[in-house]
Each structure stands twice: as C-alpha cells, then as structure tokens.
Amino acid sequence: MEKWSLMAIAALLGLTVRWTVSLGSYSGAGKPPLYGDYEAQRHWQEITYNLPVKHWYVNTSDNNLQYWGLDYPPLTAYHSLLCAYVAKLINPNWIALHTSRGHESPSHKLFMRATVLVADMLVYIPAVILYCCHLRETSTKKKISTVLCILLYPGLILIDYGHFQYNSVSLGFALWGVLCLSYDLDLLGSTAFCLAINYKQMELYHSLPFFCYLLGKCFKKGLMGKGLLLLIKLASIVVVSFALCWLPFCTEVEQILQVLRRLFPIDRGLFEDKVANIWCTLSVFVKIKTVLTPQTQLKLSFALTFLSLLPCCIKLTLQPSLKGFKYALVTCALSFFLFSFQVHEKSILLVSIPVCLIINEIPFMSAWFLLVSTFSMLPLLLKDGLLFSYLLTTLAFLTACTTSFSILEKTSEDDLQLKTFSSSVRKYIPWFRTFPNVIKSSFLVSITLMGILTLMSTTLDPPQRLPDLFPVAVSAISCLHFLFFLLYFNVIAIWELRDSRNQKKSS
C-alpha cells in the first residue's frame, strides 16, 4: 500500500510540473500567418470535424495542405476528431471551418492543454507506472525513483506541454508494447505497437527491435512447431490492426497512396532546421544538399542507417532477451536519428524514452544522455519562448537523478555495465581501463559546456555573417555526444548478450 502511495505522489509531482509548463508560452503564439504547432493541432480538429474522411489528406478549397495539412497517420486524425467533438460542445467557434483559423483565447488554451494532460494520464503515465512497478530484481525505492525520473524527463514535457504536441500518446503505446512483451503477451504487445505506428509514423524508429525480438522468439520456439504458429498469429494481428486503422481510407488505392505521400514527404529534403544529426553537422563543412542529388542523399542515408543498426539487430534476432530488446530500442532509434532521411529535432524523443527505461540499470549514462537530448532541442525551445521552462524542468530532473540514484557515484565498470567489455579488451590491451574519474570529469565538462552555450544563446547576438552560429554549435556538440552514446549503447547491447549467453551456459 505504501508503494502505491509513493507512486501516486511521484505521478502527482510529474503532473504538477507538466501543468506548470503548460501555463507558459507555446509554438507560434501570436505569430501569423502560420502560427505554430498549437495551431496545427487545432486546425486538424477543424478539418476532421468539418470535412469527410476522404478529404482529410487531400488538397481542396476547404483543406489547404500548405496550411498545416494533416501529415500523421489515421489514429492522430481520429484523436483530433475526438477532441473536436468535445470542443464543439464547449465552443463551436473553436473548430468553425475557415473562420477559426489562428484562434487564440485563454479558454481555448486551457482546453488544448487539458487534452494533452488527459492523453498523458490515459496512455503514457499508467504505462510508466506499471513498467516500473514490475521491474524485476529492483527494490521498491528504486522503482519509485525510476518513476519519478521518467516522469520528470524534461524533453517530453517541454515538447508536449510547451511546444505543443501529443508525443506521449505514440510513445505511451510503444511503452505498453514493451510492457506486454516483458510478460510474454506478444499479441497484445504487437497490437499496442501497431497503434503507436498508426499514431505517429516516426515510431518506425522502434520497429526493427520489435520485429527482431519477436522473430527471434519464433526461431527459438522452432519454425516447424510453436514458433510457426506464433509467427502466423503475430502476422495476423499486425494485418488486422493496420486494416482497422486504415479502413476508412481503403475505398480507393489512390486515397491510400495520398495518405502515404503525406506521411513520407521525401521532397522536404535530408533534414530541416538545425537538427543534431550527422547530416546537419557535416553540412557546416560540406554543403551536402548542394553536392549530392536528392536520390543520392536518400540512398546514402538509408545505407548508413542500415549498417549502423545491423549488428544490434542481428544479435537480438539470434539471441532474443528483454534486456537486449530494450538496448536495441535505444541503439536503433539513435541510428535512425543520426543517419536517416528527413529528421526533426523532436525525433530525439524516440531515443530518450527507451533510455528512460534503462535509467535504473545505468543511471549515470542514462541521465547524461537525457540531459543532452533536451539540450539538443534548445534552438527550438528558445524560439518558442520556453527558456524558463527549460531551466526549471532540467534542474528538477537533474536534482531527481542526483538524489534518487546518486549518479555521480555510479561511474565504475560495473555501474556502467562495461566490465565484460573491458575484460575482453584487456586481453589485447592490458593497460585499458574505463577510468571512472575521467568519465565523471567528462560529464562535468559536458554539463558546463551546455550551460555556457545556453547562456551565450540567450544573452549574446551572433556575428552578422554567422546568424546561425549558436544553433549550429548546439547541434554539432549534441551530435558528437550522440555518436559517443551510439558507440556506448552498442557495446553494452552486444557484450550484454554475450555475457548473458555465457552465464546461461555456466549455470
């Protein structure tokens, strides 16, 4: 009973921080003609309520796709429609066709903020609490600390409650999928993940770990017996889930193709704005968009993404384990973020939430990554007027991690889960050590550098000939961090699997 009371307090604290952030600014507030993501979400409610389904993704006189055209899968559209029905009951003017464009009022802001909070409470927060409650070989204190740190992760709070989106819905569905798989509820887990993909297509970042883990389980059971039956069931549940989500759009092939064109707009280019991935960073030195044709950019990004995630996926398929699955979610999503085509700053959330799932196992590196992931979105957050919210949530998260997990004391080889790797390396390089003090010092230097860049971005004007100096610096430094973390998490994923296999053999 005490455990659940403490869990409730942690959840309440998370909700309080969320609502506090929601009271501040949001994307595009008072900035016509396009406003921002807040207006995009409101506009989708207007479109889905007033137009027939067949016109939701099509450019018409009533639906100008250049003005925040719907570009997420059907479940997002259905969610917008549901919110629109509620909005209609409160104030029909909020979703009136054409005349509601750019609508901003205190009562509407309260309504929109409430829709995010309700979605969070129904999908994401229960998944987080249940996941942490059922962590194996973990003390009650550690479970509560994990809940608190995950719910205080600033990146998701700032984007959903500040910038204004519903990322917690798709991420929550994915988390339900992870939770179900951890209890061998493979069909329910697959259904939950199908819902995640059909809410936001960026959940494809997590698709390979889900696929490889479940395929590995089928291989393990034997493809001539129970494994084949499980494979057929999984394939059936995926087909049925997608069919139900897409049913209203399946009247014509062209309609399906139009939706897909909206979901995967290749014409937008390799990257947008100052995203902290390899392409944006390299473009500082080589203008990739000018040197390479769009087709070459697409092929190159696909090749590098595929090669970077291949080792972890092969390991997971051949040796499926829940621990390996969670690390694969991190490494695959990070590979997609760093190397794939058409990446947004906010896509780092798809890496951050899987990292949250392992914060109880490697608190130091997880907390470090989560701080960097939030910092990588700094240019976007400053643009939306979220500096105070950024500082508040980051300090709250860092305080929670420091007090709950004593992260600065978790830098030994055991704490970083590098003991097996280090032992293997020392067979060939006897002097190799991970040097905890060096790692701790690197963390402090990293935090200091992020603090200095934040201060410079907010107080100094960039040189006239380098107007993007600070956003580019933030992206480049964040990218270097992410490359380091990609190597680190891959090492753990590959050596952890080898270690667990050896432990099974010895037992």
Side-chain angles (χ1 to χ4, degrees):
M1 194 68 182
E2 183 185 357
K3 179 179 77 171
W4 288 107
S5 299
L6 292 172
M7 288 284 186
I9 292 172
L12 185 61
L13 183 58
L15 288 171
T16 302
V17 173
R18 281 162 164 73
W19 192 250
T20 302
V21 171
S22 74
L23 297 176
S25 181
Y26 54 83
S27 172
K31 297 178 182 177
L34 285 177
Y35 301 93
D37 276 36
Y38 177 95
E39 168 61 11
Q41 303 294 341
R42 188 217 58 79
H43 181 63
W44 294 346
Q45 295 175 22
E46 170 195 345
I47 292 301
T48 54
Y49 185 84
N50 291 288
L51 300 183
V53 174
K54 64 180 180 180
H55 289 163
W56 287 357
Y57 292 89
V58 180
N59 196 54
T60 66
S61 57
D62 289 326
N63 184 21
N64 179 9
L65 294 181
Q66 297 302 311
Y67 184 82
W68 298 116
L70 191 57
D71 54 4
Y72 285 125
L75 273 187
T76 290
Y78 304 149
H79 181 209
S80 296
L81 180 60
L82 178 62
C83 292
Y85 275 109
V86 179
K88 178 75 173 181
L89 294 173
I90 302 172
N91 188 340
N93 293 329
W94 291 348
I95 57 167
L97 191 62
H98 300 310
T99 58
S100 64
R101 182 171 292 191
H103 179 89
E104 293 178 314
S105 67
S107 58
H108 185 252
K109 179 183 176 182
L110 181 65
F111 165 74
M112 293 292 281
R113 295 304 197 189
T115 61
V116 180
L117 191 67
V118 169
D120 226 353
M121 292 173 65
L122 290 177
V123 182
Y124 181 72
I125 293 176
V128 169
I129 292 174
L130 285 176
Y131 171 82
C132 295
C133 282
H134 293 91
L135 286 172
R136 292 158 188 169
E137 300 177 5
T138 306
S139 66
T140 299
K141 181 182 176 182
K142 207 170 183 181
K143 289 177 180 178
I144 294 166
S145 298
T146 305
V147 169
L148 182 62
C149 290
I150 294 177
L151 293 182
L152 289 181
Y153 167 58
L156 183 60
I157 296 173
L158 291 167
I159 294 301
D160 276 13
Y161 290 85
H163 182 74
F164 200 90
Q165 287 190 341
Y166 296 92
N167 292 288
S168 60
V169 177
S170 57
L171 293 168
F173 280 137
L175 186 48
W176 277 108
V178 174
L179 185 62
C180 290
L181 293 191
S182 66
Y183 281 88
D184 291 324
L185 301 172
D186 298 331
L187 299 183
L188 277 177
S190 298
T191 303
F193 185 63
C194 286
L195 293 177
I197 292 179
N198 280 291
Y199 193 89
K200 285 203 171 184
Q201 64 270 36
M202 283 81 74
E203 275 298 328
L204 289 168
Y205 282 28
H206 299 145
S207 58
L208 278 174
F210 272 88
F211 174 78
C212 293
Y213 175 71
L214 291 170
L215 183 63
K217 286 189 73 171
C218 293
F219 286 149
K220 205 171 181 180
K221 290 176 180 288
L223 282 181
M224 297 304 291
K226 290 183 179 180
L228 179 60
L229 181 61
L230 177 59
L231 187 61
I232 293 171
K233 287 180 179 179
L234 289 170
S236 301
I237 206 73
V238 170
V239 171
V240 169
S241 299
F242 270 80
L244 289 175
C245 289
W246 286 72
L247 191 60
F249 303 94
C250 292
T251 54
E252 299 176 14
V253 174
E254 179 54 34
Q255 193 171 11
I256 297 174
L257 294 176
Q258 174 60 16
V259 177
L260 291 174
R261 282 192 288 267
R262 292 296 301 162
L263 300 188
F264 303 102
I266 296 175
D267 293 339
R268 287 186 184 177
L270 188 58
F271 60 88
E272 289 187 21
D273 295 324
K274 301 299 181 287
V275 60
N277 74 352
I278 196 71
W279 306 119
C280 183
T281 304
L282 286 177
S283 292
V284 176
F285 309 100
V286 180
K287 301 303 177 186
I288 298 174
K289 289 184 176 181
T290 305
V291 175
L292 302 177
T293 64
Q295 292 79 10
T296 304
Q297 294 171 30
L298 184 62
K299 291 175 183 176
L300 183 60
S301 64
F302 173 80
L304 283 179
T305 304
F306 178 75
L307 290 173
S308 64
L309 54 78
L310 189 61
C312 192
C313 287
I314 291 175
K315 274 285 184 182
L316 184 61
T317 306
L318 297 178
Q319 300 168 17
S321 70
L322 282 171
K323 192 172 183 181
F325 169 58
K326 287 190 286 187
Y327 282 107
L329 288 171
V330 175
T331 56
C332 288
L334 189 50
S335 292
F336 271 105
F337 179 82
L338 284 170
F339 303 113
S340 67
F341 196 87
Q342 186 49 223
V343 174
H344 293 264
E345 311 102 306
K346 301 179 288 288
S347 299
I348 195 61
L349 297 178
L350 293 154
V351 191
S352 301
I353 299 307
V355 172
C356 285
L357 301 185
I358 56 175
I359 195 169
N360 64 303
E361 299 175 20
I362 40 172
F364 176 80
M365 295 300 278
S366 297
W368 188 2
F369 176 89
L370 294 170
L371 289 169
V372 175
S373 70
T374 306
F375 170 75
S376 72
M377 297 184 286
L378 181 64
L380 176 66
L381 300 175
L382 293 180
K383 183 180 176 183
D384 291 340
L386 295 169
L387 174 62
F388 177 74
S389 297
Y390 166 69
L391 296 175
L392 173 70
T393 53
T394 300
L395 286 173
F397 174 74
L398 184 57
T399 302
C401 290
T402 304
T403 55
S404 300
F405 290 108
S406 303
I407 56 173
L408 292 176
E409 299 172 12
K410 305 289 185 181
T411 56
S412 67
E413 287 185 352
D414 278 336
D415 292 322
L416 299 177
Q417 298 201 11
L418 291 174
K419 189 172 183 179
T420 306
F421 169 73
S422 299
S423 298
S424 301
V425 173
R426 278 195 285 271
K427 292 178 183 177
Y428 307 97
I429 309 175
W431 50 265
F432 178 82
R433 296 287 186 279
T434 54
F435 300 114
N437 290 333
V438 173
I439 292 173
K440 190 185 299 184
S441 299
S442 300
F443 170 76
L444 295 175
V445 169
S446 170
I447 295 296
T448 303
L449 185 58
M450 288 189 284
I452 291 172
L453 266 176
T454 300
L455 184 63
M456 292 175 68
S457 299
T458 53
T459 59
L460 299 179
D461 293 323
Q464 213 166 26
R465 61 189 185 89
L466 296 172
D468 294 327
L469 175 63
F470 298 135
V472 168
V474 169
S475 298
I477 288 171
S478 300
C479 180
L480 291 175
H481 278 83
F482 292 148
L483 288 169
F484 161 71
F485 284 117
L486 179 65
L487 177 62
Y488 170 76
F489 286 121
N490 265 296
V491 164
I492 290 188
I494 293 171
W495 260 263
E496 178 274 328
L497 291 169
R498 175 192 289 185
D499 190 39
S500 63
R501 182 183 60 183
N502 291 340
Q503 286 176 0
K504 285 180 183 178
K505 284 183 178 181
S506 62
S507 61

